């Protein structure tokens, strides 16, 4: 004897319907048998990675800033003159909006305050980072696709 749900719909039927929803990437399916209705819904997943701007003025509580990033900042400030652009979040640094596109900036490029200069991917979100400074990019301190820490120096603009 087959197990039935609601006295009219067999569990095997429910499993087949769930498979149909999943295999065909449907959002939901509803069946009616007599006065019994059954709706199977699939979880919705975000298909595209949204791009969200990250304001450079973000600060974290003092205890959230790891000591190594502070130590890493000091030598850069001593070696260079210019404005140091630091990562506003933990994530992965990208120079370009996608692998087939040119980088936002290269060494020698002039930038203005508000220009997008990089993307930091964090938790599957692509966050555009804008320049806080006018000037010329003199050094890029991180390689494309490398992980970055909060407050880590990434670029120098003079």
């Amino acid at each position: 004897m087959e197990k039935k749900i609601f006295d009219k719909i067999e569990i095997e039927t429910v499993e087949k319907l769930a498979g149909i929803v999943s295999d065909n990437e449907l959002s939901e399916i509803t069946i009616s048998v007599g006065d019994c209705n059954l709706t199977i819904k699939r979880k919705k997943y975000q298909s595209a990675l949204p791009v969200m701007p990250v304001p450079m003025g973000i600060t974290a509580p003092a205890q959230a800033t790891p000591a190594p990033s502070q130590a890493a900042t000091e030598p850069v400030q001593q070696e260079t003159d210019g404005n140091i652009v630091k990562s506003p979040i933990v994530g992965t640094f990208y120079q370009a909006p996608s692998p087939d596109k040119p980088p936002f900036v290269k060494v020698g490029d002039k930038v203005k305050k508000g220009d997008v200069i990089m993307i930091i991917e964090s938790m599957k979100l692509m966050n555009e980072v804008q320049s806080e400074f006018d000037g010329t990019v003199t050094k890029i301190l991180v390689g494309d696709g490398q992980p970055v820490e909060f407050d880590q120096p990434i670029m120098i603009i003079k």
Side-chain angles (χ1 to χ4, degrees), residues 61-103:
Q63 69 272 16
T65 305
S69 71
Q70 291 173 346
T73 302
E74 291 172 15
V76 172
Q77 289 174 340
Q78 292 172 359
E79 293 174 15
T80 62
D81 58 346
N83 298 305
I84 298 172
V85 178
K86 298 177 184 178
S87 177
I89 55 177
V90 173
T92 304
F93 167 77
Y94 292 108
Q95 289 182 302
S98 67
D100 59 335
K101 301 281 183 182

Side-chain angles (χ1 to χ4, degrees), residues 28-48:
E28 69 179 63
I29 190 169
T30 302
I31 62 163
S32 299
V33 178
D35 61 345
C36 179
N37 295 321
L38 175 68
T39 300
I40 299 174
K41 294 184 180 183
R42 180 172 177 244
K43 284 186 179 179
K44 294 181 183 178
Y45 296 99
Q46 215 168 8
S47 61

Side-chain angles (χ1 to χ4, degrees), residues 74-150:
E74 291 172 15
V76 172
Q77 289 174 340
Q78 292 172 359
E79 293 174 15
T80 62
D81 58 346
N83 298 305
I84 298 172
V85 178
K86 298 177 184 178
S87 177
I89 55 177
V90 173
T92 304
F93 167 77
Y94 292 108
Q95 289 182 302
S98 67
D100 59 335
K101 301 281 183 182
F104 290 107
V105 295
K106 301 180 295 290
V107 172
D109 286 354
K110 292 187 187 287
V111 295
K112 294 186 180 197
K113 186 175 181 176
D115 288 352
V116 175
I117 55 174
M118 70 184 90
I119 287 179
I120 305 289
E121 177 188 3
S122 181
M123 297 178 61
K124 304 288 185 200
L125 294 175
M126 304 304 240
N127 302 284
E128 290 183 344
V129 178
Q130 299 174 347
S131 177
E132 289 186 318
F133 315 105
D134 290 339
T136 303
V137 177
T138 59
K139 199 168 195 178
I140 298 175
L141 306 168
V142 179
D144 194 44
Q146 288 188 333
V148 293
E149 296 293 325
F150 171 76

